[in-house]
Amino acid sequence: MRACVTACLIASATVVSDPAAAQTVTLRATEGGLEVTGQILGFDGEYYRVATEYGELTLDGSRVTCAGESCPDPTAFVPTFTISGADSTGEILFPALIDAFAARQTLTTARRDTVTGFAVTLSDPNLDREILTIEVRRTPAGEGFAELVEQGADAVASFREPTDDERESLETIGLGQNSDSGASRIFALDALTSIAARSNPVVATTLADLAGVLSGDITNWTAFGGADRPISVHLIENGEFDALLRVHILDPFDVSLTSDVVRHPDWDALLEAISADPDSLAVAPYSKTRQVRRHALVGTCGHVAEPSLASLKSEDFPLTQPHFLFVPEGRRVPRPARQFLDYLQSPFAQPVVRRAGFVDQAPLRIPLSEQGLRLARAIENAGPEIGVSDLRRLVGGLTDAERLTTTFRFLDGSVDLDAQSRSNIGLLAAAVDRGTYNGQTLVFAGFSDGVGGASENQRLSLRRAEAVLEAVRDAAGPGNLPRIRFVAEGYGEAMPLACDEDYWGRHVNRRVEVWLR
């Protein structure tokens, strides 16, 4: 019987809202030879999940019958897909995406508010029945991951990936390693941005000075070339956002967040205060800050990174932060919910993301002719190691080509791609499968920072470009590969985007760009 149980196992099913209240049921194989008794933990319309003497098992509903008062009626069952941790994204983005998905599938929607958010039930008018309820809970990401572990949620929306402790907790309940790109889906892009009132003349800051303001070491606008006025620091009342500030802005300079901060209950209140006070400064998501001044980041050598649609898509802006939807690879998801997840990363969802005020993942195309500043920087950095011949090879290789904002970057001190880049592998492979680039050449152009010798940096940048090229080819289906020419080039440190003197500049400079010719 143990062998038969093992043969019937697959990934987890959607959970019921209160597993503790689940009742005992008996599942019997329709062909005989298997009988399992335990508490039913979930049913997604296709599979049962039960707690048994063998542990938690998932069984194919088409191969077993269910006996017991708690057995669901498969013909009337409506699965629920619960997303926790949505926070501010639940207010605008998820309703827009759910409505657009329903319209594309010719489904109708019915929304109801809940204590922590809302739920939308999707119905198929052709079948005259409800097929899925998507519940969105506006909670902190930490609470969302806790609900995932406690089996009260199916997915977590977050400004971050799970911590090591959260991954370990998921592993203890049998949801696998959850370290591959398949678990974390990016459905929108955002960034941490320093902001001030539009009436404030300061337009840029260094990351070190921003850390100085948040730590209380810098207290006057004269540090930015502004008026001799005290800086009033404003932040939202959100511990997880504070954690992002620590990781990306404070910790690199070994400083701590000052207690002299004006706190606000939500983003609307914070932005209203910033707009009204020209001496105020805050850090907020790019998606929230249309009506105030966003500061550019200036490097030690003078290179400027502007927060913009293109710089967030390409990660050229150093504080880019994706919005993740984390679905454990061991968790069984109902078929309509799987279709919704696929839709989130499809080309059809990108205009919806953009209209909701977030940055979508559809690539932009930037011709070389519109990149005069980058070429000027390349010429400026030319010297004994990077000469005119290197620049001529670069320009010759990319002439008549357009840079896609699809860019690949690497974790600090690692050859592994970061989260946004892992997502880009799948997005670019999907575009190849659709035939988007048939009859054209995709050039994977590798670049390095300026640390080390130029010849070794050129070889390293080429190896990274070749690795990304092969990853995209492996992820794509074979159908359109013969219709596209793939080329890898390594240009080393020839075209820096930021200052190598800054830790974030070196990260920005280590990249593989994709050019289309």
Side-chain angles (χ1 to χ4, degrees):
M1 182 168 68
R2 290 180 184 269
C4 187
V5 170
T6 302
C8 294
L9 292 181
I10 25 190
S12 318
T14 299
V15 296
V16 294
S17 58
D18 185 9
Q23 301 298 314
T24 300
V25 299
T26 298
L27 301 176
R28 297 185 179 89
T30 54
E31 297 179 357
L34 167 68
E35 182 174 301
V36 172
T37 298
Q39 287 189 325
I40 186 165
L41 298 177
F43 178 69
D44 68 355
E46 298 176 85
Y47 298 92
Y48 296 95
R49 188 159 59 89
V50 291
T52 75
E53 61 181 301
Y54 308 108
E56 184 178 309
L57 305 180
T58 303
L59 305 177
D60 186 345
S62 67
R63 299 174 60 187
V64 298
T65 59
C66 184
E69 292 183 2
S70 296
C71 289
D73 179 0
T75 62
F77 180 78
V78 180
T80 296
F81 182 70
T82 301
I83 301 171
S84 189
D87 201 5
S88 59
T89 58
E91 301 169 7
I92 299 173
L93 186 51
F94 275 119
L97 287 168
I98 293 170
D99 286 347
F101 168 74
R104 182 163 182 81
Q105 298 288 330
T106 63
L107 304 174
T108 60
T109 62
R111 172 173 169 156
R112 59 180 174 84
D113 292 332
T114 65
V115 174
T116 58
F118 65 91
V120 179
T121 298
L122 308 179
S123 300
D124 188 334
N126 294 322
L127 300 176
D128 193 26
R129 63 184 294 265
E130 299 173 350
I131 63 168
L132 177 70
T133 295
I134 300 176
E135 181 183 356
V136 178
R137 298 175 182 168
R138 293 192 290 267
T139 59
E143 187 174 326
F145 284 111
E147 289 186 347
L148 198 62
V149 172
E150 294 165 1
Q151 307 190 54
D154 303 298
V156 179
S158 173
F159 219 18
R160 63 172 175 82
E161 293 190 279
T163 65
D164 290 343
D165 287 344
E166 288 164 344
R167 290 184 189 277
E168 184 177 346
S169 296
L170 289 167
E171 291 169 18
T172 61
I173 63 170
L175 291 183
Q177 296 298 317
N178 297 296
S179 59
D180 297 330
S181 58
S184 292
R185 294 168 170 83
I186 293 174
F187 61 94
L189 301 175
D190 219 321
L192 302 178
T193 51
S194 169
I195 59 172
R198 290 190 181 275
S199 57
N200 187 311
V202 174
V203 297
T205 176
T206 68
L207 202 55
D209 284 347
L210 180 57
V213 171
L214 294 177
S215 67
D217 294 334
I218 295 176
T219 59
N220 197 289
W221 281 104
T222 54
F224 302 96
D228 185 9
R229 300 281 298 172
I231 299 174
S232 175
V233 180
H234 294 247
L235 291 174
I236 192 171
E237 189 66 60
N238 185 310
E240 292 201 336
F241 193 77
D242 284 358
L244 286 175
L245 298 183
R246 287 195 297 270
V247 170
H248 297 287
I249 300 177
L250 297 168
D251 287 355
F253 298 97
D254 197 24
V255 295
S256 301
L257 184 63
T258 178
S259 59
D260 188 14
V261 174
V262 180
R263 294 286 187 172
H264 299 275
D266 53 50
W267 295 116
D268 289 341
L270 181 144
L271 295 174
E272 183 177 350
I274 294 295
S275 297
D277 180 7
D279 295 328
S280 62
L281 180 146
V283 178
Y286 176 91
S287 60
K288 304 291 183 185
T289 56
R290 285 184 174 181
Q291 67 269 45
V292 294
R293 184 186 299 281
R294 301 173 179 132
H295 293 145
L297 287 176
V298 183
T300 304
C301 65
H303 286 191
V304 178
E306 296 276 359
S308 67
L309 192 69
S311 67
L312 267 65
K313 287 179 182 240
S314 62
E315 277 192 288
D316 291 352
F317 187 72
L319 296 179
T320 300
Q321 289 290 304
H323 281 285
F324 296 98
L325 189 64
F326 184 85
V327 184
E329 293 168 323
R331 173 60 51 81
R332 175 73 194 179
V333 176
R335 181 181 292 111
R338 296 198 298 272
Q339 294 171 337
F340 176 67
L341 293 175
D342 291 340
Y343 166 80
L344 292 182
Q345 293 184 298
S346 74
F348 308 108
Q350 305 315 309
V352 181
V353 172
R354 191 162 55 248
R355 287 195 298 269
F358 295 80
V359 176
D360 65 279
Q361 299 179 84
L364 300 176
R365 299 185 181 191
I366 311 172
L368 184 63
S369 61
E370 295 180 11
Q371 301 185 54
L373 181 59
R374 297 182 70 198
L375 293 174
R377 288 172 178 167
I379 295 171
E380 179 184 356
N381 280 269
E385 291 191 308
I386 300 297
V388 175
S389 61
D390 298 292
L391 299 181
R392 185 179 293 116
R393 184 174 74 88
L394 184 152
V395 173
L398 301 179
T399 297
D400 299 328
E402 297 175 306
R403 181 195 175 189
L404 300 181
T405 49
T406 304
T407 305
F408 301 89
R409 284 191 168 83
F410 305 85
L411 296 173
D412 291 338
S414 171
V415 295
D416 297 327
L417 293 172
D418 65 17
Q420 188 168 333
S421 300
R422 295 196 305 269
S423 176
N424 285 342
I425 292 286
L427 294 173
L428 186 55
V432 168
D433 288 343
R434 292 192 301 271
T436 303
Y437 304 120
N438 283 358
Q440 301 177 78
T441 298
L442 285 175
V443 180
F444 292 78
F447 296 90
S448 72
D449 58 34
V451 178
S455 58
E456 176 56 31
N457 283 337
Q458 190 275 329
R459 288 192 291 271
L460 176 61
S461 65
L462 176 59
R463 287 199 297 271
R464 284 176 169 164
E466 291 171 338
V468 172
L469 184 157
E470 288 305 318
V472 172
R473 287 180 61 96
D474 290 345
N480 285 316
L481 292 181
R483 300 180 176 90
I484 303 171
R485 184 173 179 236
F486 294 84
V487 175
E489 297 284 359
Y491 295 110
E493 55 198 75
M495 192 182 281
L497 292 173
C499 307
D500 280 330
E501 296 86 346
D502 302 315
Y503 79 93
W504 63 266
R506 294 189 293 275
H507 175 76
V508 168
N509 287 335
R510 294 189 298 267
R511 67 199 186 277
V512 174
E513 298 178 356
V514 181
W515 289 69
L516 183 65
R517 184 170 55 230

